[in-house]
Amino acid sequence: MYKFIKKNQKIMMAVLGVGLMIVFILPTTFSRMGGQNPVVAKMGDVEMHFGDYRQAESDWRLLGQIATVSTDSGQPQIVPLPMLLGAYAVRQINEHPELYLILQREASNLGVQVG
């Protein structure tokens, strides 16, 4: 075995080098094709990706579980989400989670930030 490796050392290095190049090129090729994070919607010139959609959907679910409002006494008070936004808005966002992503993007475009 040692003689075989010693005799074919250059050929084996060339094959290994080509194999490594292929392995490193494949992920970048697939990400350009949109396989990793495809665009699911566009709002004007802004593209919304699947990862952003999933994150917004998760954020909305978490927000639905806990919604707090500061009161005059300085103590946070837990208030159900439908009371904050209105039952119709909450029902629409629950049926179409992409609306929450659109609301986030629109707020960002308007410069709204959390203090």
Side-chain angles (χ1 to χ4, degrees):
M1 183 74 173
Y2 180 74
K3 283 185 177 182
F4 176 79
I5 292 173
K6 192 78 167 161
K7 182 179 175 185
N8 298 313
Q9 180 177 353
K10 291 181 181 179
I11 294 171
M12 290 174 66
M13 287 299 292
V15 170
L16 182 65
V18 170
L20 284 174
M21 282 189 266
I22 290 172
V23 168
F24 283 112
I25 290 173
L26 283 178
T28 58
T29 304
F30 286 129
S31 66
R32 286 188 198 138
M33 292 172 35
Q36 299 286 334
N37 197 11
V39 175
V40 292
K42 281 190 174 185
M43 187 173 75
D45 293 337
V46 179
E47 295 180 340
M48 295 183 204
H49 297 274
F50 185 73
D52 300 333
Y53 169 76
R54 280 289 184 213
Q55 183 64 43
E57 187 179 32
S58 174
D59 292 347
W60 177 253
R61 259 189 266 118
L62 182 63
L63 187 61
Q65 293 173 358
I66 300 173
T68 59
V69 177
S70 294
T71 60
D72 294 334
S73 65
Q75 294 292 329
Q77 179 183 4
I78 297 175
V79 178
L81 196 58
M83 289 181 69
L84 291 174
L85 294 176
Y88 180 74
V90 171
R91 188 173 64 243
Q92 288 297 315
I93 295 174
N94 284 336
E95 291 175 6
H96 309 285
E98 63 273 7
L99 291 176
Y100 185 66
L101 177 60
I102 292 170
L103 287 171
Q104 284 180 324
R105 292 294 170 100
E106 191 61 30
S108 176
N109 290 344
L110 293 174
V112 176
Q113 296 179 352
V114 177

